[in-house]
Amino acid sequence: MTETLKLTLDRREEVAVIYTEGYINNQGGEEIARVAYELMEQGQKNLLLHLGGTKIVNSIGISILIEIIEKIIKIDGRLGFCSLTPTIEKTFHIMGIAQYAGIYSDEPAALEGFAASS
């Protein structure tokens, strides 16, 4: 599958929201990581990945997301995911991602979750 990933960034006061559209594979995962690491370097500690436009995450994409989680934990930050397909949500639970990152049904629930734990 060669579908490219498109990212859109929305910086909020407390949370930067990264919207994805497309396949999260090695290239897509690396693009998400690049944006996430830039945000962290700029002092952003709370990131939300809105995966409403993503239907597939492959194993390399998952491993890159885990690396992002490890880096954000080191800076006492938080990562959340919202608008996941049932398959991606199940995969994130099986892989243990849900233990270290919030999983929310939609963006308003995620923003509320970030605000509640501030």
Side-chain angles (χ1 to χ4, degrees):
M1 191 173 281
T2 59
E3 180 183 351
T4 58
L5 182 74
K6 294 180 187 88
L7 298 180
T8 307
L9 178 62
D10 184 7
R11 293 176 185 239
R12 312 280 175 91
E13 225 175 283
E14 294 294 321
V15 182
V17 183
I18 301 170
Y19 298 89
T20 65
E21 186 177 326
Y23 183 38
I24 301 178
N25 55 10
N26 58 327
Q27 293 172 327
E30 288 170 6
E31 182 62 16
I32 292 170
R34 184 189 65 74
V35 170
Y37 298 157
E38 281 180 13
L39 288 165
M40 286 184 236
E41 286 172 10
Q42 295 166 7
Q44 183 66 53
K45 290 189 167 197
N46 297 316
L47 302 178
L48 174 62
L49 281 172
H50 187 296
L51 302 185
T54 294
K55 304 298 177 234
I56 300 172
V57 181
N58 74 6
S59 58
I60 296 170
I62 288 173
S63 68
I64 294 169
L65 294 176
I66 290 170
E67 290 173 11
I68 295 169
I69 291 169
E70 290 171 347
K71 287 190 187 273
I72 207 158
I73 287 172
K74 285 181 183 174
I75 63 165
D76 289 326
R78 292 175 305 160
L79 180 66
F81 297 93
C82 73
S83 302
L84 307 167
T85 66
T87 302
I88 293 174
E89 184 171 352
K90 183 177 180 182
T91 302
F92 281 15
H93 282 281
I94 290 169
M95 298 299 296
I97 290 174
Q99 294 175 2
Y100 301 100
I103 305 238
Y104 303 95
S105 59
D106 56 24
E107 187 174 331
L111 296 175
E112 190 175 304
F114 274 98
S117 59
S118 294

